[in-house]
Every structure is written in C-alpha cells, then in structure tokens.
Amino acid sequence: MSPLAAAAQSAPAGPSPAVIAMREQWLNPAVNSFTFRDTDKVFESRAVPRSGPVWPLEQGAKLAMPAHSTGSMVMGYDGWADRTFTNALLVMKDGKVVFEDYRNRSDATTHFISFSMAKTITALLVGIALDEHKIRSLDDKAGDYVPELKAGGYGDATIRQILQMRSGVDYEERYDFGEHPSLAATIHMNAIVRNKMRFADPAVTIGKKTVPGSTFNYATLDTAVLGWILERATGEKLETYTASHLWGPLGAEAGGFWLADGPQGTGRALNGMGYNAVLRDFARLGQMMLDGGKANGKQVIPVGWVGQMTTMIPFPAVYGRKAEFEGYGYQTWQVDKEPGAYSAVGLAGQFIYVHPTTRTVIVKLSYNPPVEPEWLTGEVLSYFHAIANAPAPK
C-alpha cells in the first residue's frame, strides 16, 4: 500500500452524506421544534458530566400565568406559548419554581440547544479563570494567550473588548448560504456541518475593520476566540473546565454537552453557540446569576463578576432599533428598559431572563423560524414583564 493510500485510510472519516443532509435541515421551521433538542445525535459533541450534590429547586405555589393581549386578540398562556414558538418554559420567583411547562413531546429529561446563550456561559467561565489567575487581566491581549492570533485582526484586541463584542475585526454575523456564502455561513458549513475546520480558525487571518473597543459588532467568532483563550490559559479542554468549575459546583441535575467543530478528535467545544442542557439546569444558571454567583449554598462565580458581566454599554438609538435590544455587557444582553434586568439570548428565541427587582428568572426555549415575525420579540418581552410583575403566589 502506498504511503498516500495509508494516510487516506488513517484520516478521520467525515460525516456521511446523510448526516450532512440532516444537519443542513437544522433551522428548517417545519421540523426545528425537534431538531433543537438532543443535538448530540446529529452533531459532534463533548460531554459535560454532572457531579456532586444536586441543587434542589424548591417548589413554590403555582403561578397563575397572566393573559396576553395583542391587537384585538386576548389569549391565555397556552395561546401565547404556541404563538411564540415555545418548546419549554420555567419561571422562578424568590428561588422557587412556580411554573414549568414542556411542550411538543419534550420533557424534563430533554436536552435543548442554547444557541448563543452559550456566550453568557463562556463569560461565566472567563470570570472563574480570572479569579484563579489563569487569566491575568481582562486587559491582556488575545495574542498573549494564543500567539497564533497576533498577526491578524485580533492582535490588538483585549479580552475585555472581545467580551464586549468590540474586537474591531472584519466579521459580519450574516448567514448567507448559497452560491456565494458569507464568511459566517462558510464557517458554519465547514466547521459544524462538514467538520472540516475549527470554528476559530479564520480568527488567525481575519483583518481589522475598526479600532478595538470603539464599535459594537456582534460576532460569534469573538466568543470562539474566548474559548480558545480559555483552553490555552487553563490548560484544559473547555468541556473539562466547564464540568469541574461550573456544572459540578452549580449542582446541575443532568449532564450537559457542548457541540463540537472540526475533524473528529481534533475539534473543540463550540462555546459560541453550542451548549445543551435540560430546562431546569438552565434555570439554575439564571438563579445563580440572580444570587450573585451563588449556587447550592456555595459561591461558584467570583463575587462581583456577575455585576461586571451585566453592566451594560447602551446602544446608540439607531443600533438599538436594529437589534431590538438596549445594550450589551460581557456576552450578556440588556433586552429591555426594566431596571437591572438582563438576559442570556440565543438564536430562535432562547432566553434566560433575569429580573432582579422582582427576583424572577424566566427560561424560554423556543423554535422560532429563521425569518422571525416582526412582532415576536416584543410580544415575548411583554409577557416576560407581565410574569415578572405578577405577584408571587402564596
């Protein structure tokens, strides 16, 4: 056998045509209420096992869910949930579960994709690494930890600027597939669907568009770079660090998993959009943030870090109208004008919404279509406000 043939035989096999075809249907609105769950059956993944005592979630008296009005229509919770593409929803008030609902044949054991809620999880991990002095300072440059980044657009960007989505690199979060795909679409296809490359690989050569720190530009590539920095700084794979420093101490009731990119055995966790967990464990994350980083009686996230993450830089009026939201902190959104409220937000309607004034946490896991109706976000947030301001049941 020739050396070339031997090398071809030993190379990791890529996904089959049938798997690629399934992955390409991920966002298909005809089936995405199902394709957004148990994604490790279709994509590469990295397990994040749970460990230690489970954080018990106390049951409160059931909340009477408010009615929702839109135009001439008035509907109850079920009508709103179906109208807003809801797969599952959980409400906590004062640390107690007061409402929990699974729809479309999902249940408490279903693992749901977080999409970009994973960015907020990444920021929590950065805070832990900073507290451990694995990351020396948020004002260190990305290239201080990943030398491969020094020559490209990330060369002058600090970790803080990347956390704020202000890296300055020439990247547009625009998924145009087809004959002339955008950079984001190309990365998606080659890293996630076909497993040919790592999501962060283009960060090495990407150019600069603006001065780092000057301009907000939402970029999943920024978060992928943060994951690369975390792995270099800690010396651990992201799934291992997540399990030992966040998922175990959180008291999660079920293991989670990161989706993964790249060729089999060589890719890394897709920390910009790929964490999967059960509904109740997403609620635990929200409650931990509401409680200043405490979970199960222990300080899991360093004191003050959640406050830093959720100190928002407001958007200019023009951008705010475009994004539908009000501002951005460290990988975390200000989605409305409610004082102190913040949210992890994921593609297609994933939310961990925290409303400190009323001590409310709302997790909504959804299956929005790729082209969302213009009214959708407003009606979701309006209902969140009604839930938050509803009196706690007794």
Side-chain angles (χ1 to χ4, degrees):
M1 182 182 293
S2 70
L4 187 61
Q9 280 196 1
S10 63
S16 71
V19 170
I20 290 172
M22 178 63 219
R23 291 176 178 182
E24 289 176 342
Q25 296 303 311
W26 198 14
L27 303 181
N28 184 337
V31 293
N32 64 356
S33 63
F34 292 91
T35 59
F36 289 177
R37 59 181 81 163
D38 301 322
T39 54
D40 56 333
K41 292 180 173 63
V42 179
F43 294 91
E44 293 296 314
S45 63
R46 301 287 184 268
V48 179
R50 66 153 310 279
S51 61
V54 173
W55 180 9
L57 296 183
E58 186 178 348
Q59 290 289 320
K62 187 170 181 179
L63 178 68
M65 296 294 273
H68 174 67
S69 300
T70 176
S72 60
M73 295 187 295
V74 178
M75 63 194 74
Y77 165 75
D78 282 335
W80 173 86
D82 284 339
R83 179 172 165 81
T84 60
F85 309 98
T86 306
N87 261 337
L89 188 127
L90 188 147
V91 180
M92 298 186 70
K93 281 186 174 282
D94 290 323
K96 298 178 182 179
V97 177
V98 296
F99 187 82
E100 187 172 3
D101 179 44
Y102 298 91
R103 310 176 75 80
N104 308 323
R105 295 181 178 264
S106 65
D107 59 35
T109 67
T110 302
H111 283 72
F112 294 94
I113 179 73
S114 68
F115 287 115
S116 288
M117 294 199 305
K119 293 178 169 69
T120 302
I121 295 172
T122 298
L124 292 171
L125 295 172
V126 169
I128 294 169
L130 183 67
D131 189 61
E132 289 190 317
H133 307 292
K134 301 286 179 65
I135 292 174
R136 296 177 297 274
S137 168
L138 294 185
D139 296 315
D140 287 350
K141 294 180 179 180
D144 295 340
Y145 299 87
V146 184
E148 296 94 319
L149 296 172
K150 287 185 176 180
Y154 283 97
D156 295 329
T158 67
I159 295 172
R160 188 188 311 276
Q161 290 162 345
I162 298 170
L163 281 165
Q164 295 170 333
M165 293 290 186
R166 293 171 179 267
S167 66
V169 303
D170 190 9
Y171 178 91
E172 188 175 355
E173 192 83 359
R174 182 171 51 82
Y175 292 91
D176 292 344
F177 298 96
E179 213 173 308
H180 302 289
S182 61
L183 174 59
T186 300
I187 294 172
H188 177 91
M189 287 299 299
N190 288 334
I192 304 172
V193 174
R194 300 181 181 275
N195 293 135
K196 290 182 175 180
M197 58 179 275
R198 294 177 174 180
F199 196 101
D201 283 351
V204 174
T205 56
I206 198 167
K208 190 186 299 183
K209 187 175 183 180
T210 61
V211 176
S214 65
T215 307
F216 177 83
N217 178 48
Y218 185 80
T220 297
L221 189 59
D222 279 11
T223 316
V225 166
L226 290 174
W228 202 354
I229 291 169
L230 277 166
E231 290 199 337
R232 289 290 178 85
T234 64
E236 298 183 49
K237 291 187 177 297
L238 200 65
E239 58 269 24
T240 305
Y241 196 71
T242 305
S244 61
H245 287 73
L246 178 61
W247 214 239
L250 174 71
E253 68 182 59
F257 60 89
W258 291 103
L259 294 188
D261 60 14
Q264 188 174 4
T266 64
R268 66 170 61 86
L270 279 165
N271 66 297
M273 48 72 67
Y275 200 69
N276 294 253
V278 301
L279 174 66
R280 284 180 151 231
D281 286 338
F282 284 130
R284 286 180 171 92
L285 283 172
Q287 188 65 41
M288 178 185 68
M289 294 184 73
L290 176 63
D291 291 340
K294 275 192 174 180
N296 214 16
K298 297 181 295 186
Q299 192 73 41
V300 176
I301 307 302
V303 173
W305 181 248
V306 173
Q308 290 186 58
M309 284 177 57
T310 59
T311 298
M312 303 296 174
I313 300 177
F315 292 142
V318 172
Y319 186 87
R321 282 195 297 273
K322 177 183 176 185
E324 298 185 281
F325 298 146
E326 301 290 330
Y328 202 76
Y330 292 168
Q331 306 286 292
T332 305
W333 292 91
Q334 180 186 347
V335 296
D336 54 26
K337 296 183 184 297
E338 294 289 292
Y342 54 86
S343 189
V345 179
L347 179 78
Q350 322 314 318
F351 289 91
I352 302 173
Y353 178 76
V354 181
H355 194 272
T357 303
T358 60
R359 289 196 52 78
T360 300
V361 174
I362 303 169
V363 181
K364 184 181 191 295
L365 304 172
S366 312
Y367 57 99
N368 296 1
V371 179
E372 297 180 354
E374 289 186 6
W375 49 262
L376 181 55
T377 299
E379 291 198 18
V380 168
L381 293 177
S382 174
Y383 201 67
F384 284 0
H385 301 158
I387 292 172
N389 290 296
K394 297 181 181 178

